[in-house]
Amino acid sequence: MQALADVILPVFLVIGFGYVARWRNLISDTQVEGVVWFTQSFAIPCLLFAAISRLDLGQEFDWRLLVSFYTGAVVSFGLGFAGARLFFKRDWEDCVAIGFVALFSNTVLLGLPISERAYGPDALAANYAIIALHSPICYAIGITTMELMRNRGGRLRDTGARVLRAMFHNALVIAIALGFAVNLSGLPVPEVMEDALDMMVRAALPAALFSLGGVLYRYRPEGDLRTIAYVVALSLVVHPAITYGLAKAFGLSTEALRSAVVTAAMAPGVNVYVFANMYGRAKRVAASSALIGTGLVMLTGWVWLQILP
């Protein structure tokens, strides 16, 4: 239980501060949305840009790490999509949104701080390698599948154009692309810019965790409990189990194994609600899954930390 107290509990206390502040009307929904806008549109993109621009791409982008994590993610998406259709009789577009809930782990707001507290700031390189591809891969899968379902019988060229527009209006994707451009080109970032980025980076995770608490206050569980339980189980159990099995089979280093499994074991992120809201599909499932899954990570995250070497 020491891991719970030392690693996971401080993260959830910050989330809890945000939740209680909104519950007691110390902040308003508008103020919460302002902090969310700051973190999602500025602070976290700065964090991702800075991390990727400095990452040793040749060393950290190990195909075994990425295959282990993203195979688990894609299988979870497929099971979420199929289960929504076969078990819960949802229409095709709802199935995509529900599958996206199982696909999109909270890699930044939960995965990074829990990994950092468990294994130290020097152990995050593999986390950033996963995060660098997370939004592009997950949004590409979700948006492409949704557009195919919405435009069955339509022209593939039109679907492709809609997918590209949606991808490159996402601040996280843009920041990641710029980080890769700087890294691969070798262009130096001026020291004054580095200092400014570091200030934004230090603000990113605490502000994002606090705002996550405020956002989750609005996502009270109601209805669809069987569907919610199903996709949360995919996120917290199936995804990390597949990742763990593949990582062990591939002989990943202990550090990479830890990063991959801890990241895979995180609850659905707030972006699952953003995606559901964007298409007006399965919003209640997405919102409640983010809330319930985040709470359950207190237990399941501790279990995975005990399993890992």
Side-chain angles (χ1 to χ4, degrees), residues 23 26 75 109 150 206 212 225 258 260 289:
W23 171 41
L26 300 176
V75 169
L109 301 192
R150 296 180 73 192
L212 177 60
L225 288 179
R258 289 169 174 172
S289 297

PDB file of all heavy atoms in Angstrom, residues 23 26 75 109 150 206 212 225 258 260 289:
ATOM      1  N   TRP A  23     -17.346  21.541  -6.799  1.00  0.00           N
ATOM      2  CA  TRP A  23     -18.505  21.076  -6.032  1.00  0.00           C
ATOM      3  C   TRP A  23     -18.972  22.141  -5.044  1.00  0.00           C
ATOM      4  O   TRP A  23     -20.171  22.378  -4.894  1.00  0.00           O
ATOM      5  CB  TRP A  23     -18.118  19.786  -5.315  1.00  0.00           C
ATOM      6  CG  TRP A  23     -19.120  19.281  -4.315  1.00  0.00           C
ATOM      7  CD1 TRP A  23     -20.473  19.252  -4.440  1.00  0.00           C
ATOM      8  CD2 TRP A  23     -18.821  18.719  -3.032  1.00  0.00           C
ATOM      9  NE1 TRP A  23     -21.043  18.701  -3.318  1.00  0.00           N
ATOM     10  CE2 TRP A  23     -20.055  18.369  -2.438  1.00  0.00           C
ATOM     11  CE3 TRP A  23     -17.635  18.466  -2.347  1.00  0.00           C
ATOM     12  CZ2 TRP A  23     -20.132  17.785  -1.179  1.00  0.00           C
ATOM     13  CZ3 TRP A  23     -17.716  17.872  -1.095  1.00  0.00           C
ATOM     14  CH2 TRP A  23     -18.944  17.546  -0.518  1.00  0.00           C
ATOM     15  N   LEU A  26     -16.444  27.095  -5.460  1.00  0.00           N
ATOM     16  CA  LEU A  26     -15.313  28.014  -5.307  1.00  0.00           C
ATOM     17  C   LEU A  26     -14.807  28.476  -6.669  1.00  0.00           C
ATOM     18  O   LEU A  26     -14.152  29.515  -6.772  1.00  0.00           O
ATOM     19  CB  LEU A  26     -14.184  27.336  -4.524  1.00  0.00           C
ATOM     20  CG  LEU A  26     -14.546  26.878  -3.108  1.00  0.00           C
ATOM     21  CD1 LEU A  26     -13.385  26.129  -2.476  1.00  0.00           C
ATOM     22  CD2 LEU A  26     -14.961  28.065  -2.244  1.00  0.00           C
ATOM     23  N   VAL A  75      -6.575  -3.407 -30.120  1.00  0.00           N
ATOM     24  CA  VAL A  75      -7.440  -4.541 -29.756  1.00  0.00           C
ATOM     25  C   VAL A  75      -8.576  -4.068 -28.848  1.00  0.00           C
ATOM     26  O   VAL A  75      -9.732  -4.478 -29.017  1.00  0.00           O
ATOM     27  CB  VAL A  75      -6.621  -5.659 -29.069  1.00  0.00           C
ATOM     28  CG1 VAL A  75      -7.543  -6.714 -28.453  1.00  0.00           C
ATOM     29  CG2 VAL A  75      -5.675  -6.312 -30.071  1.00  0.00           C
ATOM     30  N   LEU A 109      -2.191  13.223 -18.360  1.00  0.00           N
ATOM     31  CA  LEU A 109      -2.623  13.726 -17.050  1.00  0.00           C
ATOM     32  C   LEU A 109      -2.508  12.691 -15.942  1.00  0.00           C
ATOM     33  O   LEU A 109      -2.362  13.057 -14.764  1.00  0.00           O
ATOM     34  CB  LEU A 109      -4.077  14.212 -17.134  1.00  0.00           C
ATOM     35  CG  LEU A 109      -4.371  15.326 -18.130  1.00  0.00           C
ATOM     36  CD1 LEU A 109      -5.763  15.887 -17.890  1.00  0.00           C
ATOM     37  CD2 LEU A 109      -3.338  16.419 -18.071  1.00  0.00           C
ATOM     38  N   ARG A 150     -20.181   7.267 -40.907  1.00  0.00           N
ATOM     39  CA  ARG A 150     -21.130   8.343 -41.223  1.00  0.00           C
ATOM     40  C   ARG A 150     -21.358   8.501 -42.713  1.00  0.00           C
ATOM     41  O   ARG A 150     -22.398   9.023 -43.133  1.00  0.00           O
ATOM     42  CB  ARG A 150     -20.615   9.671 -40.665  1.00  0.00           C
ATOM     43  CG  ARG A 150     -20.525   9.718 -39.149  1.00  0.00           C
ATOM     44  CD  ARG A 150     -20.004  11.062 -38.677  1.00  0.00           C
ATOM     45  NE  ARG A 150     -20.986  12.103 -38.817  1.00  0.00           N
ATOM     46  CZ  ARG A 150     -20.740  13.410 -38.700  1.00  0.00           C
ATOM     47  NH1 ARG A 150     -19.502  13.818 -38.463  1.00  0.00           N
ATOM     48  NH2 ARG A 150     -21.694  14.291 -38.813  1.00  0.00           N
ATOM     49  N   PRO A 206       0.289  20.144 -13.042  1.00  0.00           N
ATOM     50  CA  PRO A 206      -0.563  20.518 -11.897  1.00  0.00           C
ATOM     51  C   PRO A 206      -1.859  21.208 -12.322  1.00  0.00           C
ATOM     52  O   PRO A 206      -2.938  20.890 -11.799  1.00  0.00           O
ATOM     53  CB  PRO A 206       0.329  21.474 -11.092  1.00  0.00           C
ATOM     54  CG  PRO A 206       1.723  21.137 -11.495  1.00  0.00           C
ATOM     55  CD  PRO A 206       1.641  20.719 -12.925  1.00  0.00           C
ATOM     56  N   LEU A 212      -8.863  18.818 -14.425  1.00  0.00           N
ATOM     57  CA  LEU A 212      -9.522  17.535 -14.642  1.00  0.00           C
ATOM     58  C   LEU A 212     -10.528  17.259 -13.530  1.00  0.00           C
ATOM     59  O   LEU A 212     -11.634  16.779 -13.777  1.00  0.00           O
ATOM     60  CB  LEU A 212      -8.476  16.417 -14.711  1.00  0.00           C
ATOM     61  CG  LEU A 212      -9.001  14.989 -14.856  1.00  0.00           C
ATOM     62  CD1 LEU A 212      -9.807  14.832 -16.130  1.00  0.00           C
ATOM     63  CD2 LEU A 212      -7.840  13.997 -14.830  1.00  0.00           C
ATOM     64  N   LEU A 225     -24.823   1.677 -17.439  1.00  0.00           N
ATOM     65  CA  LEU A 225     -23.789   1.201 -16.520  1.00  0.00           C
ATOM     66  C   LEU A 225     -23.085  -0.054 -17.025  1.00  0.00           C
ATOM     67  O   LEU A 225     -21.879  -0.223 -16.808  1.00  0.00           O
ATOM     68  CB  LEU A 225     -24.393   0.957 -15.136  1.00  0.00           C
ATOM     69  CG  LEU A 225     -24.769   2.228 -14.357  1.00  0.00           C
ATOM     70  CD1 LEU A 225     -25.387   1.854 -13.013  1.00  0.00           C
ATOM     71  CD2 LEU A 225     -23.541   3.111 -14.151  1.00  0.00           C
ATOM     72  N   ARG A 258       7.913  -0.838 -17.774  1.00  0.00           N
ATOM     73  CA  ARG A 258       7.166  -0.049 -16.792  1.00  0.00           C
ATOM     74  C   ARG A 258       6.385   1.069 -17.465  1.00  0.00           C
ATOM     75  O   ARG A 258       5.195   1.266 -17.194  1.00  0.00           O
ATOM     76  CB  ARG A 258       8.132   0.533 -15.776  1.00  0.00           C
ATOM     77  CG  ARG A 258       8.747  -0.462 -14.812  1.00  0.00           C
ATOM     78  CD  ARG A 258       9.875   0.175 -14.041  1.00  0.00           C
ATOM     79  NE  ARG A 258      10.417  -0.684 -12.987  1.00  0.00           N
ATOM     80  CZ  ARG A 258      11.505  -0.404 -12.295  1.00  0.00           C
ATOM     81  NH1 ARG A 258      12.194   0.715 -12.547  1.00  0.00           N
ATOM     82  NH2 ARG A 258      11.921  -1.216 -11.358  1.00  0.00           N
ATOM     83  N   ALA A 260       5.399   1.398 -20.580  1.00  0.00           N
ATOM     84  CA  ALA A 260       4.340   0.910 -21.466  1.00  0.00           C
ATOM     85  C   ALA A 260       3.129   0.447 -20.668  1.00  0.00           C
ATOM     86  O   ALA A 260       1.977   0.801 -20.987  1.00  0.00           O
ATOM     87  CB  ALA A 260       4.876  -0.231 -22.331  1.00  0.00           C
ATOM     88  N   SER A 289     -17.430   7.059 -18.155  1.00  0.00           N
ATOM     89  CA  SER A 289     -16.269   6.174 -18.180  1.00  0.00           C
ATOM     90  C   SER A 289     -15.015   6.911 -17.737  1.00  0.00           C
ATOM     91  O   SER A 289     -14.171   6.342 -17.019  1.00  0.00           O
ATOM     92  CB  SER A 289     -16.059   5.600 -19.586  1.00  0.00           C
ATOM     93  OG  SER A 289     -17.150   4.795 -19.970  1.00  0.00           O
TER      94      SER A 289
END
